[in-house]
Amino acid sequence: MAIQTGETAGAGVSQRAGQMVRFAGAATSLALMAGVAVWGYSLIMRDVTGVPVVRAMEGPMRMAPENPGGAVTDYEGLAVNAVAAKGAAEPPEDVVMLAPPTVQLSQDDLEAQPQAEAAELSASPVPDAAETGLENGPEAAVAATLDPVPDAA
């Protein structure tokens, strides 16, 4: 029987470690090659099987319109449309028509306000333009809704 010394025992461990590293490298290489093969096969099969199949619609492909002149839109003929189409506004029109009247609220809509708010609104006086120092306009409307600031003195 041979007696192993420290040097020969260490050489056996390093040989086994080297064999394990080579085995792990070989296994990794085989797994990588198998993965590439599976990936390539799936790419090829996806291209073959990925073609969508659409069933054709029934009936004629094209139909003549019911109104060959086209439908009249609500905003056809406005000067604003010429700006988008031509890049410049058209000259003024010869005939000017007023817009249709606005829709008025019905009595049911006016009575829908809660009673507490209605009482509060009727109880608060609205200052006129002479008191606020502002003329009639949006600023006067805003100033009328604000509470007056008390004097510092």
Side-chain angles (χ1 to χ4, degrees), residues 86-145:
K86 299 177 185 174
E90 290 193 1
E93 295 290 328
D94 295 335
V95 178
V96 177
M97 295 175 52
L98 295 176
T102 59
V103 177
Q104 299 295 325
L105 294 175
S106 68
Q107 190 62 27
D108 293 337
D109 294 335
L110 295 174
E111 293 173 357
Q113 185 176 15
Q115 295 300 321
E117 290 181 11
E120 290 173 7
L121 290 176
S122 63
S124 63
V126 177
D128 61 351
E131 292 177 8
T132 59
L134 299 172
E135 297 178 17
N136 291 339
E139 295 86 9
V142 171
T145 60

Side-chain angles (χ1 to χ4, degrees), residues 72-86 88-93 95 97-100:
V72 178
T73 62
D74 292 338
Y75 303 107
E76 188 173 334
L78 296 178
V80 177
N81 297 337
V83 174
K86 299 177 185 174
E90 290 193 1
E93 295 290 328
V95 178
M97 295 175 52
L98 295 176

